Amino acid sequence: MKVRFREVDPFNCWIWIHFNDVPSQAERDYIDGVFDSWYVIGRLGGFNASNLQSQEEGSNLSWMSYDNEEADNSLPSLMHNLAQLEYQGQWGRCWVDLGTCDALAIDILINALRQIHIDFVQIDELLIGGVNE
């Protein structure tokens, strides 16, 4: 699966998926599920790169001391809106307002779609941003 970035406006961003074949309803359901889950996590502030305490701790998380004050002091990072995916032939597209989410949100979506590509749905290309000719 190729990933390409074009001009990205976080408040008005199109995400385009080019499938190998026209996706079946079951394959669409997988993709829709990924985007729905991604949106819920984003809407709840999960893509906040200023509060990645476990990630910064490293590989040994046993008995880690989580700093609630540090978490409370980080600015909110909330996704604002996500439109329903639209499909036409071998293409799917989705509009998103990333709001104040950090770019971490895009990495997580790419990682999830890469795994979906490996396990379930053949995706030729993922385009982030811009307008598709």
Side-chain angles (χ1 to χ4, degrees):
M1 177 181 94
K2 291 182 257 173
V3 177
R4 281 196 303 142
F5 283 80
R6 299 186 283 193
E7 183 178 349
V8 175
D9 174 355
F11 302 105
N12 184 25
C13 183
W14 284 97
I15 299 171
W16 304 84
I17 303 172
H18 186 232
F19 298 96
N20 193 32
D21 292 310
V22 175
S24 68
Q25 187 58 52
E27 291 170 329
R28 289 180 185 194
D29 291 344
Y30 275 117
I31 298 296
D32 291 345
V34 168
F35 275 85
D36 290 345
S37 300
W38 180 65
Y39 174 69
V40 169
I41 297 295
R43 185 77 178 135
L44 295 173
F47 304 126
N48 188 343
S50 66
N51 187 36
L52 297 176
Q53 296 180 48
S54 300
Q55 175 64 30
E56 291 169 1
E57 183 70 19
S59 61
N60 187 7
L61 298 176
S62 299
W63 308 107
M64 177 187 140
S65 177
Y66 190 86
D67 187 342
N68 285 311
E69 188 172 319
E70 180 182 336
D72 291 342
N73 289 332
S74 67
L75 293 174
S77 180
L78 307 173
M79 189 178 292
H80 291 176
N81 205 352
L82 179 74
Q84 186 173 1
L85 266 87
E86 303 170 359
Y87 295 93
Q88 184 174 356
Q90 291 177 282
W91 284 96
R93 73 176 187 170
C94 184
W95 174 87
V96 64
D97 176 351
L98 290 165
T100 57
C101 275
D102 293 312
L104 172 67
I106 294 175
D107 285 322
I108 289 171
L109 177 64
I110 292 169
N111 290 340
L113 290 174
R114 286 178 53 82
Q115 195 62 45
I116 287 287
H117 164 72
I118 291 167
D119 292 340
F120 301 106
V121 183
Q122 292 296 304
I123 300 172
D124 283 341
E125 188 171 29
L126 175 66
L127 303 168
I128 310 290
V131 176
N132 204 7
E133 299 87 25

